[in-house]
Amino acid sequence: MPALNYIDVFFSVQAFQEEELRGKSAVIIDVLRASSSITTAISSGAKKIIPVADMSDAMKIASTMDQKDYLLCGEKNGSKIEGYHLGNSPAEYTPEAVEEKTLIFNTTNGTKAIKKAALASEVYIGSFLNQQSILNILDEHDDQVVLICSGWRGRLSIEDTLFAGSVLHALSDGKLPDSATDGAKVAFGLYEKFGDDLVGAIRKSDHAKRLAELVPNDDIKFCCKVNEFDVLPGMRDGILTNLNG
Ligand code: MLT
């Protein structure tokens, strides 16, 4: 396990420079909803997921592939993108929809965070749905680890910070040392305050309000389920696969 003062938390995609991650391991968190959808897709048997930073990158990659070999997936501002096969609701990522498929995944903040973490020595995708897999893999690390909350367009998101806090809470047995980073203390403190009622706290979040008009309410409840899936989406050569597989 990394020393607890070796774990930092960044609160948005814009809160770090690529270079800061060199030689460190990164857990990318976008509870609502990219990291939850990616985790669900991998659990449903998606062969690989190619995260991209924007629509133009998605189209560039798609243009090099046979149409039957990929699905375009993701959202812009919470809504499915016109012409895409799937949006960004975990409910869409069933085995029937994604088993053995390659997904080109493009979201407003989550996949941008994944792309920006390219210099990290390891990149994992974390959500409440696969919390134990994240704890297990971090247990094997003794390097510096950054929990990267994707946030929303540069702002903090309570749901991502709560997940980072839950990881710190579990790793420290509920006793974070004074030597922990400021970011770790903030995430840990938030989890201590709201961890008993994740659904209640996350339903009141800014992003849940944003999504309320756009997506089924069940997405929020589903994304708050803890340890629903035993998978570890992780990056190898720009592609996410199940490292637990
Ligand atoms: C994002 O990447 O910003 C989110 O996953 C947006 C969403 O909830 O669809």
Side-chain angles (χ1 to χ4, degrees):
M1 194 178 99
L4 289 163
N5 59 341
Y6 262 37
I7 306 180
D8 208 348
V9 181
F10 297 163
F11 295 98
S12 77
V13 181
Q14 288 77 4
F16 65 97
Q17 305 298 319
E18 285 90 334
E19 202 49 53
E20 289 179 73
L21 298 183
R22 198 183 283 281
K24 300 178 186 169
S25 295
V27 179
I28 310 296
I29 305 163
D30 186 5
V31 168
L32 296 178
R33 295 166 295 164
S35 62
S36 300
S37 291
I38 288 169
T39 300
T40 306
I42 292 284
S43 172
S44 289
K47 189 163 69 180
K48 46 187 180 175
I49 298 181
I50 306 172
V52 297
D54 55 34
M55 283 199 266
S56 109
D57 279 0
M59 293 322 291
K60 261 187 232 151
I61 290 172
S63 71
T64 65
M65 296 170 73
D66 199 309
Q67 275 192 21
K68 64 173 177 16
D69 288 339
Y70 66 83
L71 296 174
L72 280 168
C73 307
E75 54 69 47
K76 189 166 170 57
N77 296 327
S79 297
K80 184 178 164 198
I81 298 168
E82 212 185 313
Y84 275 34
H85 301 90
L86 297 171
N88 191 27
S89 168
E92 294 173 85
Y93 291 87
T94 59
E96 295 70 31
V98 301
E99 197 159 26
E100 285 304 313
K101 299 265 169 56
T102 294
L103 314 185
I104 301 172
F105 223 99
N106 167 28
T107 73
T108 309
N109 304 281
T111 60
K112 287 182 179 55
I114 299 169
K115 293 298 288 178
K116 198 170 174 184
L119 292 181
S121 38
E122 296 286 349
V123 174
Y124 307 114
I125 306 301
S127 66
F128 287 111
L129 299 173
N130 69 335
Q131 185 192 55
Q132 191 57 49
S133 294
I134 293 295
L135 294 174
N136 292 346
I137 194 71
L138 291 185
D139 211 31
E140 294 175 15
H141 278 263
D142 56 9
D143 56 342
Q144 292 190 45
V145 169
V146 184
L147 307 176
I148 300 179
C149 302
S150 300
W152 180 265
R153 298 190 181 283
R155 300 195 184 167
L156 176 150
S157 288
I158 197 169
E159 64 277 10
D160 297 341
T161 313
L162 279 171
F163 178 71
S166 77
V167 168
L168 287 155
H169 205 267
L171 291 176
S172 68
D173 285 330
K175 294 179 265 319
L176 196 69
D178 287 346
S179 58
T181 61
D182 289 0
K185 285 175 185 155
V186 168
F188 180 92
L190 195 78
Y191 182 75
E192 286 219 303
K193 184 162 170 59
F194 293 114
D196 285 345
D197 182 17
L198 289 174
V199 179
I202 293 178
R203 270 200 204 292
K204 294 187 200 106
S205 69
D206 290 348
H207 195 49
K209 287 179 204 148
R210 242 176 253 126
L211 290 177
E213 311 274 297
L214 306 171
V215 305
N217 211 4
D218 279 358
D219 270 9
I220 311 289
K221 204 166 154 197
F222 184 78
C223 293
C224 293
K225 287 188 177 182
V226 180
N227 293 330
E228 186 72 0
F229 302 126
D230 179 24
V231 295
L232 180 63
M235 188 82 102
R236 293 284 179 269
D237 299 324
I239 292 172
L240 295 168
T241 57
N242 184 12
L243 301 185
N244 272 357

